[in-house]
Amino acid sequence: MKLLVGYTADERGAEAIELASALVAGTPEASLQIAIVLPAAAPFNAVYPGGDHGYSSILSAQVDQWAEQALELVPEGINASVVAQSVASVAEGLITLAQDYAADGIVLGGRKRHRAGFFLPGAIANALLHSSPVSVYMSSPAALETLRSAGGKLTRITAFVGDRPGAKDVIEQSARLAAASSVPLRVVTLVLPFDVQDPERDLESHVESTRAYLAELTESLQLDARIEVVVGRNLHEAVGQLSWQGGDLALLGSARLAAARRLFIGPKAQRILGKLFVPIGVIPNPGSHS
């Protein structure tokens, strides 16, 4: 697995490398490309480790130091290099670098972007959540604590899906990551009263039909996945009923109207994202019609 890490020389950047390292650990061809993006007003382009980048200045010395610090944070067994580049837009720069590197995803830190322990995306994360062609992974300091409690290793993938077309894509992509990481897969659907026309009459049957649909879907994909259909009076209550363990990673899909091979987070997924206290990832629309 190959990931691009959006790095800043602070605790947020260190946390991004920590999350990315946990995501790729144990996967085939585990590697990280750590990206230091600079304002376009400071023309710069270099890759580390490597030879002299031919740009002798105070800026290059500072970037050398940041690159060295970043590489020291990567655990043994994971290939890593640093790329430093001037960009007009951080989000667009990260997307371009991810495509150049053929990365499976972009990883961001969440420090100073969280509220009550939950992840609260900032401007760069929001831009990526509405345009990235690859998955975007994020965390918060509180979420990383749950990962550290499992020794910095993933122990389970939780895929959030609905009961409409698109669930198959999210489950398939989540299953691939779970298999690469050798961890079990959990498939979760949150059901709210307004999901049905008459809750008193139809809610129970809707829950059972959703559970049967997901069971049939995972069986057709030959997956051994735990299925949970959770009912709550509102999204906060439904999410609160889920149990979590150290090493959990939550994955959400893009809105059904997202462009092919592009990420566009929908309103419900964005609300779920803001209520989780485990590391999270959002998956782009692969462009299928399943």
Side-chain angles (χ1 to χ4, degrees), residues 186 190-191 228-244:
R186 175 172 67 161
L190 305 178
V191 177
E228 294 187 20
V229 181
V230 182
V231 181
R233 290 173 297 179
N234 51 56
L235 201 60
H236 180 76
E237 182 179 274
V239 172
Q241 294 184 56
L242 288 170
S243 62
W244 298 96

Side-chain angles (χ1 to χ4, degrees), residues 59-79:
L59 175 61
S60 67
Q62 180 64 78
V63 173
D64 285 344
Q65 183 180 11
W66 289 338
E68 184 178 349
Q69 291 171 346
L71 291 171
E72 288 176 352
L73 296 172
V74 180
E76 291 185 12
I78 298 175
N79 292 324

Side-chain angles (χ1 to χ4, degrees), residues 149-171:
S149 70
K153 306 289 185 182
L154 294 184
T155 62
R156 181 173 63 180
I157 304 294
T158 295
F160 282 87
V161 300
D163 59 354
R164 300 178 182 180
K168 181 179 179 182
D169 293 326
V170 177
I171 292 173

Side-chain angles (χ1 to χ4, degrees), residues 193-199 201-202:
F194 56 75
D195 289 334
V196 296
Q197 188 171 3
D198 186 339
R201 183 191 65 192
D202 302 329

Side-chain angles (χ1 to χ4, degrees), residues 250-284:
L251 293 181
L252 299 88
S254 292
R256 287 176 292 133
L257 298 180
R261 293 176 294 280
R262 286 284 168 176
L263 196 159
F264 193 94
I265 190 168
K268 185 174 182 179
Q270 192 146 20
R271 289 166 58 206
I272 294 172
L273 179 152
K275 298 181 184 302
L276 299 178
F277 56 90
V278 296
I280 55 180
V282 186
I283 300 170

Side-chain angles (χ1 to χ4, degrees), residues 138-206:
M138 302 163 287
S139 190
S140 67
L144 274 181
E145 287 299 329
T146 69
L147 187 60
R148 292 167 185 155
S149 70
K153 306 289 185 182
L154 294 184
T155 62
R156 181 173 63 180
I157 304 294
T158 295
F160 282 87
V161 300
D163 59 354
R164 300 178 182 180
K168 181 179 179 182
D169 293 326
V170 177
I171 292 173
E172 284 183 315
Q173 294 183 71
S174 300
R176 284 196 288 270
L177 180 54
S181 304
S182 301
V183 298
L185 174 66
R186 175 172 67 161
V187 177
V188 168
T189 293
L190 305 178
V191 177
L192 308 179
F194 56 75
D195 289 334
V196 296
Q197 188 171 3
D198 186 339
E200 290 189 9
R201 183 191 65 192
D202 302 329
L203 187 58
E204 185 175 346
S205 61
H206 177 72

